[in-house]
């Protein structure tokens, strides 16, 4: 073998010039890093998720505190607001009103006799939990924030458990761990994850949704039904939830027929109870608002006060906005192409590892948003509930680079999201 050339000798020279002390220091540094990595990997998976969640929330707190320096005085904030003042912005003011004063006993009407914006549009579970803490003397800003923080932590841990359970049946053990880890991490650092520490409903809703899907996958139908009812008092997502239950039960019945195994009478009764609970969950709060006010359409009429036309119209807002932004033909055409592409991708081979239940949720939830939502800036926050898709990053061939890049991009976009949408610019601004 020939001797190394001059270029090789020049590159190796600095290493030889390092003295024994430097080399020993480098070895100790490598060993210290390896020991730290081993200690990290020996932690329970839930503990590692909680560490990431805590660091992500500290980052969000820093961003909120910095944004507070640029918040202009308004009806919601004083001259020099601090972190706590910024917690109670936007919908958090409605939740504070519910926690402190409850709901109105009649539908508030404007001068023209039409319903106006009021607390009746907001679901009760999260503010009532905060009310329990307020009763101990804790200010609402911190009480509501604590509810969201604890629920968000439970959701992050539950996401890892849910995705690990779902992927383990279809992937290797290592792939299941990686996919579950990436889903939990991306949930913690997602751009709108700031809502997991402000008095909003995303934290409790995420925790309950994860619990429901995990119980459903394990075929524990009665506890899943109870969780569905609680979720029906948190956010209006019972319609896609019912669709997931229907898909789950149909697929289980078909699988049972193929194996020649029919559901027992007791199991069939539990399935019917689950189906009934998931359907009833969507009626709980509208019915409660009816009882509170004596008006049957109290909830839907109040929700219409937030819509541009004064009423909830299915699908039409997406069509109109697409035409306004991209033109009368190109807008709707691109909207249809995007929806078809999403459905085709989610039903394709690459997402099959998620399983039928999680894919059904991701399809049904997007379909629900298309039907009932006005496509404005709050959409970014609503998409947090599509957390199962984060698992696909961990299954990417270049998973380490992909996950790291997405984490950095998410943190950067979190700064943009908070400064753009959470900061209120009077007299009116786009909501988060």
């Amino acid at each position: 073998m020939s001797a190394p050339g001059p270029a090789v000798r020049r590159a190796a020279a600095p290493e030889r010039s390092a003295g024994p002390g430097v080399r020993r220091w480098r070895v100790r540094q490598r060993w210290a890093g390896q020991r730290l990595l081993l200690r990290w990997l020996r932690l329970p998976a839930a503990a590692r998720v909680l560490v990431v969640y805590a660091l992500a929330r500290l980052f969000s707190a820093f961003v909120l505190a910095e944004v507070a320096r640029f918040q202009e005085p308004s009806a919601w904030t004083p001259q020099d607001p601090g972190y706590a003042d910024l917690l109670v912005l936007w919908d958090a003011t409605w939740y504070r009103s519910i926690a402190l004063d409850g709901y109105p006993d009649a539908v508030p009407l404007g001068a023209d006799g039409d319903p106006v914006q009021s607390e009746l549009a907001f679901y009760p579970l999260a503010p009532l939990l905060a009310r329990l803490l307020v009763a101990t003397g804790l200010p609402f800003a911190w009480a509501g924030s604590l509810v969201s923080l604890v629920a968000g932590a439970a959701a992050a841990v539950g996401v890892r458990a849910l995705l690990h359970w779902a992927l383990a049946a279809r992937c290797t053990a290592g792939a299941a761990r990686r996919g579950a880890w990436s889903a939990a991490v991306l949930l913690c650092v997602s751009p709108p994850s700031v809502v997991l520490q402000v008095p909003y409903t995303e934290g409790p809703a995420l925790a309950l949704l994860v619990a429901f899907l995990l119980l459903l996958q394990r075929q524990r139908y009665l506890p899943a039904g109870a969780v569905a009812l609680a979720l029906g008092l948190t956010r209006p997502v019972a319609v896609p939830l019912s669709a997931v239950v229907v898909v789950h039960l149909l697929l289980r019945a078909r699988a049972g027929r193929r194996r020649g195994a029919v559901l027992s009478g007791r199991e069939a009764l539990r399935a019917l109870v689950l189906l009934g609970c998931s359907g009833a969950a969507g009626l709980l709060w509208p019915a409660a608002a009816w009882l509170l006010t004596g008006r049957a359409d109290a909830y839907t009429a109040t929700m219409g006060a937030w819509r541009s036309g004064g009423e909830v119209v299915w699908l039409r807002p997406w069509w109109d906005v697409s035409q306004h932004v991209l033109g009368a033909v190109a807008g709707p055409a691109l909207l249809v192409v995007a929806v078809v592409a999403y459905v085709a991708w989610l039903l394709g081979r690459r997402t099959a590892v998620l399983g039928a239940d999680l894919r059904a949720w991701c399809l049904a939830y997007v379909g629900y948003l298309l039907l009932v939502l006005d496509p404005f800036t709050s959409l970014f926050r609503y998409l947090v509930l599509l957390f199962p898709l984060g698992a696909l990053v961990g299954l990417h061939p270049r998973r380490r680079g992909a996950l790291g890049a997405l984490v950095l991009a998410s943190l950067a976009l979190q700064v943009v999201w908070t400064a753009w949408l959470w900061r209120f610019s009077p007299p009116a601004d786009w909501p988060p």
Side-chain angles (χ1 to χ4, degrees):
M1 183 181 294
S2 61
V8 176
R9 286 199 296 270
R10 283 196 297 271
E15 182 66 27
R16 289 200 304 270
S17 64
V22 174
R23 289 197 292 271
R24 283 196 298 270
W25 178 81
R26 289 174 178 171
V27 170
R28 283 198 299 269
Q29 290 296 106
R30 284 197 296 268
W31 277 107
Q34 291 172 359
R35 285 196 298 268
L36 185 61
L37 178 61
L38 285 174
R39 288 178 183 176
W40 170 255
L41 294 176
R42 286 172 182 169
L43 286 175
R48 282 185 275 137
V49 171
L50 287 176
V51 170
V52 172
Y53 180 80
L55 293 174
R57 299 288 63 79
L58 286 173
F59 177 83
S60 298
F62 172 78
V63 173
L64 278 170
E66 286 298 304
V67 168
R69 296 171 53 201
F70 302 95
Q71 174 61 55
E72 301 176 48
S74 68
W76 289 343
T77 52
Q79 177 66 37
D80 294 310
Y83 176 79
D85 296 311
L86 230 63
L87 292 177
V88 194
L89 278 179
W90 301 103
D91 289 353
T93 58
W94 294 106
Y95 292 122
R96 177 175 59 185
S97 176
I98 295 167
L100 300 182
D101 304 316
Y103 287 94
D105 55 7
V107 177
L109 303 177
D112 56 0
D114 292 332
V116 296
Q117 297 177 357
S118 74
E119 292 84 355
L120 292 170
F122 297 91
Y123 282 57
L125 184 60
L128 293 184
L129 290 174
R131 184 172 189 164
L132 297 176
L133 297 177
V134 170
T136 67
L138 198 64
F140 172 77
W142 298 110
S145 177
L146 185 58
V147 169
S148 290
L149 280 168
V150 173
V157 172
V159 164
R160 193 216 65 84
L162 170 63
L163 269 300
H164 188 267
W165 177 277
L167 296 175
R170 302 166 187 87
C171 301
T172 63
R177 286 194 299 269
R178 293 191 298 270
W181 172 252
S182 68
V185 169
L186 291 176
L187 171 67
C188 293
V189 302
S190 61
S193 63
V194 174
V195 297
L196 298 179
Q197 64 199 79
V198 300
Y200 265 50
T201 60
E202 271 71 17
L206 269 169
L208 290 170
L209 175 61
V210 170
F212 174 84
L213 292 172
L214 188 56
L215 290 168
L216 184 68
Q217 295 225 322
R218 296 184 177 183
Q219 299 179 4
R220 300 187 60 185
Y221 294 152
L222 293 184
V227 172
L229 292 175
L231 187 55
L233 294 174
T234 309
R235 282 193 69 79
V237 294
V239 172
L241 210 66
S242 299
V244 174
V245 171
V246 170
V247 170
H248 172 89
L249 294 178
L250 288 176
L251 291 178
R252 186 178 178 193
R254 188 177 71 174
R257 285 198 302 270
R258 287 178 177 176
R259 296 193 306 265
V262 182
L263 286 177
S264 66
R266 180 177 297 180
E267 196 69 11
L269 179 60
R270 290 174 178 170
L272 287 175
V273 170
L274 170 63
L275 189 59
C277 287
S278 62
L283 302 175
L284 278 180
W285 179 239
W290 180 4
L291 292 175
L292 282 170
T293 63
R295 178 169 170 170
D297 66 341
Y299 171 71
T300 54
T302 303
M303 282 297 298
W306 264 270
R307 304 304 171 92
S308 56
E311 60 180 343
V312 179
V313 180
W314 286 16
L315 192 58
R316 184 62 183 267
W318 285 85
W319 197 266
D320 292 343
V321 169
S322 69
Q323 289 182 320
H324 175 73
V325 174
L326 298 172
V329 176
L334 187 59
L335 176 63
V336 171
V337 168
V339 171
V340 171
Y342 176 75
V343 172
W345 172 73
L346 201 54
L347 295 178
R349 294 174 55 188
R350 295 195 176 190
T351 62
V353 292
L354 295 176
D357 293 343
L358 297 185
R359 290 205 289 178
W361 166 254
C362 292
L363 279 173
Y365 183 60
V366 170
Y368 167 77
L369 294 179
L370 286 170
L371 281 176
V372 304
L373 181 71
D374 284 4
F376 293 118
T377 46
S378 295
L379 179 63
F380 300 115
R381 175 165 54 89
Y382 299 152
L383 294 180
V384 171
L385 296 183
L386 290 176
F387 62 86
L389 300 181
L392 300 176
V393 177
L395 305 177
H396 193 275
R398 298 178 180 177
R399 54 188 175 275
R400 292 181 181 175
L403 180 59
L406 279 175
V407 167
L408 292 176
S410 295
L411 293 175
L413 289 173
Q414 187 176 140
V415 176
V416 174
W417 186 89
T418 309
W420 172 38
L421 291 178
W422 193 259
R423 182 174 63 90
F424 175 67
S425 297
D429 201 357
W430 295 103

